[in-house]
Amino acid sequence: METYAADVLISGAGPTGLMLAGELRLAGVSTIVLERRAEPVQQSRALGFSARAIEEFDQRGLLPRFGELETIPIGHFGGLPIDFGVIEGGSYGARGIPQSRTEAILAEWATGLGAELRRQHELIGLTTDELGVTAEVRTPHGTRRLRARYLVGCDGSRSTVRELSGIEFLGTDAVIEMWLADVRGVKLRPRFSGERVPGGMVMVLPAGPDVFRVGVYERTTGPRHSDQPPSFAEVADAFERLTGEDIHHAEPLWVSWFTDSSKQAGSYRNDRVFLAGDAVHVHLPIGAQGMSGGIGDAVNLGWKLAAAIHGHAAPRLLDSYHAERQPVGARVITNTLAQRILYLSGEEIEPVRELFTELLEFPAVQRHLAGMVTGQDIRYDYGYSAGQEDPHPLLGRRLRNQEFIIPGTSKGSLYQLLQSGRMVLLNLAWDKNIQDAAEPWQQLVDVVKPTVPGPCVLAGVDAVLVRPDGYVAWVSSRGGGPVGLTEALAHWYAEPAENSQPALAQQAS
């Protein structure tokens, strides 16, 4: 019998890798996270996450760990203001949460569930065969080989896993470069969404007590194509040229940079190797779409890998990860490139900005752009109609949280039901035929008969099947009963769970 160190190896202990580790552990999958750094990075490029990421954290009961969460009601698209409240539950995301804090919370959650985090462990080689993956890992005690069923590269834009697995990284190289610095000891006027100024753009964000994050972009300065950040003197010089304000006397706490390099992996999967987060898509960091996209990748992939490992995945379940997430990543790249043109171009783009300003007076346009930037308008194409000639508009979409009264349990909302990481069937009509149709999958699906105490996002719906990642997999309405439910369940789970056995790895060091 094959011996594995873990069912899944994850390379990279950033937010994506840690979120995936937690998702896998919820499903009882043994997981090792490999991280080359000895300690967590304390500096943070990201200072928040999107409205959809807020929902995904809420689905796992993680939001209370962040404390009081402040969201941003007014955001922008390419520097043009949008009221993100035009969509229900919409916001420009969570404000003022350093990525380092998000990583710490996710690490505590994942390791608390039993994931193993091995620091100073760097993946340097891998081979695959029909039974698994062998990873060559550099450790403080020499090079080791670890065996697993699957490996996921969450190791950033310069992904070693992507390179070793031979997956192409396609797209465009950097055209612009923006410099960042966290400074103390200077008072600055906040420029939350950035301000276009003659010669470029300037951003100023409060980043802590007496600390500001400044961002500068000079139109005449192209990418340096360097692995090193600019000096603080260079950042301060550019800030003074663009604003007339002198910050040279401030204390620099951190200096960094980013570009608009926009690339996407040609495939999110190569046999038993998967990619997620920045390893599979990079783009201009605008609208908290980078880290949040990685969280979405992890939540999509985790339950599917678990189903495959436990032996009850439908034949094409693992392929659905690429099929669903690749279009999402491509759309983010498109919208961030469009925003770069609107935001950072010179006067030649002013007619386009004026036209966009007119279009944004229409609520439908604001809803479209807000849904795109937040990820709340994602709709997956499952390839089946759930037994309906005209598929229900909820099919394939995220389901917003809903308060319920559920007999015999303390759980009182959809997101509380999703905290176990399992599929949930809400039998709102208390239809016994629906209950019976789901019976063969009872070990995989939580069937709940709730009542709704007030206004409901499911008005007119008799029953709804919700995937572990919060997306609707089947809907029954207008007395439709269980029509299409068996088809939907079989699309994800090839056979009832009682006919399959969990395949947790035997542990090996």
Side-chain angles (χ1 to χ4, degrees):
M1 182 177 180
E2 181 98 40
T3 299
Y4 299 96
D7 291 316
V8 180
L9 293 176
I10 298 172
S11 178
T16 301
L18 293 169
M19 188 74 191
L20 178 59
E23 293 290 300
L24 292 169
R25 286 304 304 150
L26 277 179
V29 171
S30 60
T31 306
I32 295 174
V33 183
L34 307 172
E35 172 55 53
R36 64 181 178 84
R37 295 183 176 92
E39 300 292 338
V41 175
Q42 295 305 309
Q43 292 79 24
S44 301
R45 291 192 182 191
L47 291 175
F49 37 81
S50 72
R52 179 58 189 146
I54 291 173
E55 293 176 338
E56 287 165 330
F57 289 149
D58 200 11
Q59 288 171 184
R60 298 299 183 253
L62 292 170
L63 279 192
R65 303 189 186 208
F66 288 92
E68 186 174 350
L69 203 66
E70 181 183 1
T71 58
I72 309 169
I74 305 297
H76 70 93
F77 187 90
L80 302 173
I82 296 179
D83 179 1
F84 277 67
V86 294
I87 55 178
E88 189 71 29
S91 74
Y92 199 53
R95 185 202 301 274
I97 300 177
Q99 181 174 322
S100 57
R101 183 177 169 200
T102 301
E103 287 186 11
I105 288 169
L106 293 178
E108 181 183 39
W109 175 60
T111 57
L113 290 171
E116 185 178 349
L117 175 55
R118 297 186 183 181
R119 294 198 174 275
Q120 294 183 280
H121 281 60
E122 180 181 6
L123 185 141
I124 57 174
L126 66 87
T127 57
T128 62
D129 55 51
E130 62 181 10
L131 295 178
V133 180
T134 301
E136 188 175 355
V137 182
R138 182 184 293 124
T139 81
H141 308 292
T143 300
R144 301 283 177 84
R145 283 184 170 84
L146 297 177
R147 184 83 169 144
R149 298 179 188 279
Y150 296 95
L151 185 146
V152 186
C154 303
D155 50 347
S157 60
R158 299 177 181 178
S159 171
T160 299
V161 174
R162 186 184 65 234
E163 182 178 351
L164 291 174
S165 60
I167 296 175
E168 291 185 294
F169 208 34
L170 308 170
T172 58
D173 292 326
V175 174
I176 65 101
E177 180 170 299
M178 189 168 182
W179 297 345
L180 304 174
D182 287 355
V183 298
R184 179 188 291 147
V186 63
K187 294 295 183 183
L188 298 172
R189 174 175 63 84
R191 296 171 167 92
F192 289 106
S193 297
E195 289 183 5
R196 284 163 50 87
V197 295
M201 189 274 287
V202 179
M203 177 185 69
V204 179
L205 300 173
D210 194 35
V211 176
F212 289 91
R213 171 162 296 179
V214 300
V216 294
Y217 164 67
E218 282 193 290
R219 204 167 291 121
T220 56
T221 303
R224 295 171 303 124
H225 304 294
S226 172
D227 292 338
Q228 300 299 318
S231 68
F232 176 64
E234 290 177 301
V235 177
D237 288 346
F239 191 85
E240 187 170 14
R241 286 193 295 268
L242 292 172
T243 67
E245 300 175 41
D246 186 359
I247 62 171
H248 288 83
H249 60 285
E251 177 191 358
L253 305 176
W254 173 68
V255 179
S256 188
W257 81 108
F258 60 77
T259 74
D260 67 333
S261 175
S262 301
K263 297 185 178 183
Q264 188 175 27
S267 175
Y268 281 37
R269 177 192 183 189
N270 184 355
D271 193 21
R272 290 178 174 269
V273 177
F274 295 80
L275 301 174
D278 288 352
V280 81
H281 44 67
V282 295
H283 49 80
L284 185 71
I286 189 168
Q289 297 182 80
M291 185 180 77
S292 301
I295 297 298
D297 293 342
V299 173
N300 184 287
L301 178 60
W303 67 275
K304 296 174 181 178
L305 269 180
I309 288 165
H310 287 308
H312 50 243
R316 292 179 297 276
L317 181 62
L318 292 182
D319 288 334
S320 75
Y321 171 61
H322 171 92
E324 292 180 356
R325 294 303 295 176
Q326 191 277 339
V328 173
R331 195 171 188 227
V332 170
I333 289 173
T334 297
N335 91 61
T336 52
L337 285 173
Q339 292 194 69
R340 184 209 74 195
I341 293 169
L342 286 170
Y343 205 9
L344 301 178
S345 298
E347 295 305 312
E348 75 279 0
I349 208 69
E350 199 58 36
V352 179
R353 290 176 57 83
E354 291 178 6
L355 178 58
F356 257 79
T357 300
E358 289 182 24
L359 292 173
L360 285 171
E361 295 178 4
F362 295 93
V365 174
Q366 291 201 38
R367 284 194 295 271
H368 181 80
L369 294 178
M372 177 189 297
V373 172
T374 61
Q376 291 176 303
D377 72 344
I378 292 170
R379 186 174 192 179
Y380 295 136
D381 181 4
Y382 298 149
Y384 63 83
S385 63
Q388 302 167 349
E389 291 184 8
D390 183 19
H392 194 280
L394 283 176
L395 187 66
R397 295 192 183 276
R398 90 194 208 282
L399 191 58
R400 289 193 290 113
N401 201 12
Q402 171 66 52
E403 298 298 317
F404 294 122
I405 297 174
I406 305 171
T409 177
S410 60
K411 295 180 179 180
S413 72
L414 170 64
Y415 285 2
Q416 287 179 327
L417 291 170
L418 288 173
Q419 288 179 15
S420 64
R422 290 163 53 87
M423 274 202 185
V424 174
L425 175 61
L426 299 172
N427 188 359
L428 296 158
W430 292 47
D431 186 328
K432 188 177 184 304
N433 292 325
I434 291 174
Q435 191 94 5
D436 292 344
E439 179 69 21
W441 285 272
Q442 62 179 323
Q443 293 185 24
L444 297 170
V445 180
D446 292 332
V447 182
V448 181
K449 295 190 291 185
T451 57
V452 183
C456 182
V457 299
L458 295 169
V461 171
D462 297 331
V464 59
L465 179 66
V466 185
R467 302 191 327 181
D469 56 0
Y471 287 85
V472 173
W474 171 81
V475 184
S476 176
S477 61
R478 301 185 182 90
V483 174
L485 177 56
T486 298
E487 175 193 1
L489 286 166
H491 183 84
W492 308 108
Y493 299 131
E495 57 181 329
E498 61 264 29
N499 295 334
S500 61
Q501 297 296 323
L504 290 177
Q506 292 187 11
Q507 296 295 312
S509 60

